[in-house]
Amino acid sequence: MVLSITVPGVSADLSKPMRKRDALVRDDNDGVRFLFDIAFRWCYAAGTAVASGKPVNDMAERDNSQLVMRGGQSIPITGNGLDFSGLTLPGNYIAIPASVMADLWADQEFLICMYLTPPTLANWIASLRCIMEGSIAQNSYVTDPDIALIGLASGGFSIRRQTAINTVASLSLSAAAAGAYGALTQVALWRTPNQFGARAKTVTGQAVSTAVAGAKNTANFSANVGGFGVPPGFWTNSGLSSDELKAVQFKLHRGFVENLHRSGRDPVDVLDADWARTIARNVF
């Protein structure tokens, strides 16, 4: 006698596609290299409090990560987001695994996206401070290899893609045009064979900026660990200034990095579809 056990919802047909944890990674041809979502407890289990070294499980199921925090810092979770408003020091972020940058290095065709509730107009900062950087370095692209950064800056978001040490291609996104002040915002940048682009989108508007793709980065970032949140880049390392204390009044909800050369997908199509699904969830 052979005992057969069937688990409801699990198919024995190996020809069927593997079920994915997030719709973003369906039909992505292994292109999404890292994905986190604070509202999904499998990704980040600490639903009410956080601590340094807490695991951040990769929803693309390629390479898990962790939350990095400096001593004495506190980041509660509010509105299904990491709330940075109580920080007094920079260097607190969800790490982007080095395997991601290694995968992007050869072709440098990528999409980087984050969902945040950014500061209000009154709390916005006038000079560049990173909220995503491809290297965890105080001076980012100025001194270190760095694929790209997203930063808060005068009037909105500054997008910079490194082409060599201390050399970048830059785009700007108006926070006012996008309706981003204090509102849930999708901010993204991409590079395809033909275009370097960026977009900030909310339920009330969007801001888009594009340029030619430009040359690949000659500074080898393949071993880098990056970060979403308040990484070191351009913040005051010894302690946040009064303007910086205002600028950290934001929440981080979701983010991902996709290798567009692998996926073969159009970045704007990916962003539009992910935005529609995310807004429909109504969790941020």
Side-chain angles (χ1 to χ4, degrees):
M1 178 180 176
V2 177
L3 179 63
S4 176
I5 299 176
T6 301
V7 179
V10 178
S11 174
D13 184 353
L14 299 181
S15 68
K16 291 186 176 181
M18 182 179 295
R19 300 179 73 175
K20 305 289 187 177
R21 293 189 182 274
D22 192 281
L24 176 70
V25 297
R26 294 177 191 159
D27 303 317
D28 73 335
N29 197 35
D30 294 336
V32 178
R33 309 308 296 177
F34 180 63
L35 166 63
F36 71 89
D37 190 309
I38 301 302
F40 190 19
R41 292 294 170 255
W42 180 88
C43 174
Y44 190 78
T48 57
V50 298
S52 188
K54 284 282 189 179
V56 177
N57 291 320
D58 176 19
M59 292 174 62
E61 299 190 81
R62 308 202 185 283
D63 197 352
N64 292 331
S65 182
Q66 63 178 338
L67 176 69
V68 177
M69 292 174 60
R70 289 181 67 177
Q73 301 303 285
S74 176
I75 306 176
I77 292 179
T78 59
N80 283 320
L82 299 178
D83 186 345
F84 297 109
S85 61
L87 294 182
T88 58
L89 296 169
N92 307 276
Y93 53 88
I94 291 178
I96 302 170
S99 62
V100 176
M101 298 304 165
D103 192 69
L104 297 178
W105 165 246
D107 299 297
Q108 299 186 31
E109 297 170 21
F110 56 87
L111 169 61
I112 301 172
C113 174
M114 62 191 299
Y115 287 78
L116 71 157
T117 302
T120 62
L121 174 58
N123 287 332
W124 212 270
I125 198 161
S127 56
L128 177 66
R129 298 295 188 277
C130 289
I131 55 175
M132 176 273 153
E133 64 177 326
S135 71
I136 303 305
Q138 175 77 41
N139 295 309
S140 183
Y141 64 84
V142 177
T143 56
D144 290 80
D146 193 336
I147 186 173
L149 67 80
I150 300 172
L152 303 174
S154 180
F157 301 98
S158 178
I159 311 297
R160 302 186 186 185
R161 184 184 72 82
Q162 187 185 61
T163 57
I165 295 294
N166 202 24
T167 303
V168 294
S170 299
L171 300 172
S172 296
L173 299 170
S174 168
Y181 293 123
L184 178 66
T185 306
Q186 179 200 65
V187 184
L189 70 102
W190 61 86
R191 181 180 183 270
T192 70
N194 302 310
Q195 187 181 76
F196 169 40
R199 185 177 84 173
K201 184 176 180 64
T202 71
V203 294
T204 60
Q206 67 176 24
V208 180
S209 183
T210 60
V212 297
K216 290 182 179 180
N217 194 352
T218 60
N220 191 337
F221 56 76
S222 62
N224 284 11
V225 171
F228 290 97
V230 185
F234 303 113
W235 298 89
T236 305
N237 185 60
S238 59
L240 298 179
S241 68
S242 58
D243 286 343
E244 291 173 331
L245 290 171
K246 294 178 181 179
V248 296
Q249 306 294 308
F250 74 91
K251 298 190 287 285
L252 173 65
H253 305 286
R254 175 179 170 89
F256 65 88
V257 182
E258 178 169 337
N259 183 330
L260 294 174
H261 188 79
R262 280 184 180 272
S263 70
R265 302 198 290 193
D266 179 87
V268 176
D269 289 347
V270 173
L271 293 172
D272 284 346
D274 195 65
W275 172 258
R277 290 189 300 262
T278 300
I279 289 300
R281 291 167 60 200
N282 195 32
V283 294
F284 300 137

